[in-house]
Amino acid sequence: MTVPLDIVTDLAHGGRWTSLRTTGTGREWLWRRAAPERDNVSPGDTFVDAGGLEECVPTVRGTPDHGDAWSRSWTREAGADVLRCDRFTLARTVRGTTDGAEAHYVLTADAGFRFVWAAHTLLDLSDGAVLHIRDGARTRLFPESAPLVDLLWPDGARWVEGTWPTPCGLRLDRFGPDDGTAVGAVVDASHCCVHDRAERLSLALEADGQPVSIALWRNLGGFPAPRPYRSTGVEPMLGRVFDLAEAGPGDAARVPESGEVRWRLTLTTNCRCA
């Protein structure tokens, strides 16, 4: 049985999603942390992690740190949440469905503008949570994974590739207890499902003509120094890299001649993974 989801957002503080709750059971999916300094950030500041779901665009890692959206106020215009930046405008419309919720996005910019977008979703999960993605999906690992993989990291490599769920010998589908590690990965898939005890959360991304993926941030007490904490991110993404500056051909979304890119994020309490 599917149960609708209730979503709360904070337009004044980056358009951040502050609650994603299964209404039938009261299950809150989003992890949050106290970060009062978030109230006074300015564009270009180092990212302040308050948890929830952040709209990261036009990059995640790199410059600006976690993108332009999180440090700016959004507005409400004609039923949509709107972010206006120097090079692009992003509009988001969130609505409930019979089995969850959908978020529809439109990014407007000059033709040829390249970007990465991620629904940087930090989830409140138990040690036993499992992430289901299609077996064999191509998976990129980034340099923080170097001590954990079963190969010698190539000199200067920005990433290495393996297959889900154990790329290069590193099992990623289970979150597990804190072990002092923190790794990021990008999986060539459009949908995934988190199983945590009896609860399910499915996330799916659709974007015609654009690269889609599922990014994973599995921080089990390994980041940041010197005061690490646990945070686990499952992040539908347009693009195949965290840092736009590292994007090769096909690794970033690109605005076509129409001047618009449209995509849809669907969330349900059904498991939609094959």
Side-chain angles (χ1 to χ4, degrees):
M1 176 181 179
T2 55
V3 182
L5 293 162
D6 183 55
I7 295 170
V8 178
T9 60
D10 183 353
L11 296 187
H13 300 97
R16 175 172 156 258
W17 302 32
T18 58
S19 181
L20 176 62
R21 187 180 299 274
T22 303
T23 56
T25 64
R27 164 64 189 263
E28 173 59 63
W29 285 99
L30 296 183
W31 170 86
R32 291 163 292 184
R33 64 186 289 267
E37 63 274 27
R38 176 66 181 268
D39 292 343
N40 299 304
V41 298
S42 299
D45 284 356
T46 300
F47 182 61
V48 177
D49 186 6
L53 186 157
E54 303 280 5
E55 305 282 359
C56 292
V57 60
T59 191
V60 183
R61 297 180 183 177
T63 304
D65 186 14
H66 282 70
D68 279 316
W70 73 272
S71 60
R72 300 173 187 266
S73 295
W74 293 44
T75 58
R76 185 75 171 167
E77 303 176 19
D81 305 330
V82 179
L83 167 71
R84 299 185 184 279
C85 292
D86 291 341
R87 297 191 62 195
F88 68 91
T89 297
L90 180 65
R92 176 187 71 194
T93 304
V94 181
R95 66 179 183 88
T97 65
T98 57
D99 60 355
E102 292 180 348
H104 295 256
Y105 294 85
V106 182
L107 184 139
T108 306
D110 291 340
F113 178 72
R114 298 171 78 240
F115 66 96
V116 171
W117 166 86
H120 186 279
T121 314
L122 296 180
L123 297 175
D124 187 6
L125 301 176
S126 73
D127 292 355
V130 180
L131 178 60
H132 289 262
I133 299 177
R134 171 178 55 85
D135 282 353
R138 184 177 63 179
T139 303
R140 287 181 175 178
L141 298 173
F142 296 85
E144 66 270 12
S145 303
L148 307 174
V149 297
D150 60 5
L151 55 79
L152 181 63
W153 196 271
D155 287 345
R158 294 175 174 174
W159 61 76
V160 297
E161 289 192 355
T163 55
W164 184 269
T166 54
C168 305
L170 176 59
R171 186 165 190 179
L172 290 178
D173 61 334
R174 298 182 181 274
F175 290 92
D178 291 359
D179 61 8
T181 66
V183 298
V186 176
V187 187
D188 186 10
S190 62
H191 60 278
C192 65
C193 188
V194 178
H195 292 204
D196 194 7
R197 301 188 176 96
E199 302 274 1
R200 305 286 186 268
L201 180 67
S202 173
L203 304 99
L205 184 61
E206 301 168 75
D208 290 343
Q210 304 292 343
V212 298
S213 58
I214 301 294
L216 172 67
W217 172 242
R218 195 183 69 176
N219 173 25
L220 305 180
F223 179 88
R227 292 185 293 276
Y229 50 80
R230 179 187 179 96
S231 58
T232 49
V234 178
E235 308 175 20
M237 173 184 278
L238 292 184
R240 297 191 177 101
V241 292
F242 289 109
D243 189 345
L244 178 61
E246 297 181 349
D251 288 339
R254 182 184 292 270
V255 176
E257 289 299 320
S258 67
E260 290 185 349
V261 177
R262 295 176 177 268
W263 65 96
R264 179 174 68 182
L265 173 64
T266 302
L267 306 98
T268 75
T269 52
N270 258 346
C271 185
R272 300 179 55 181
C273 295

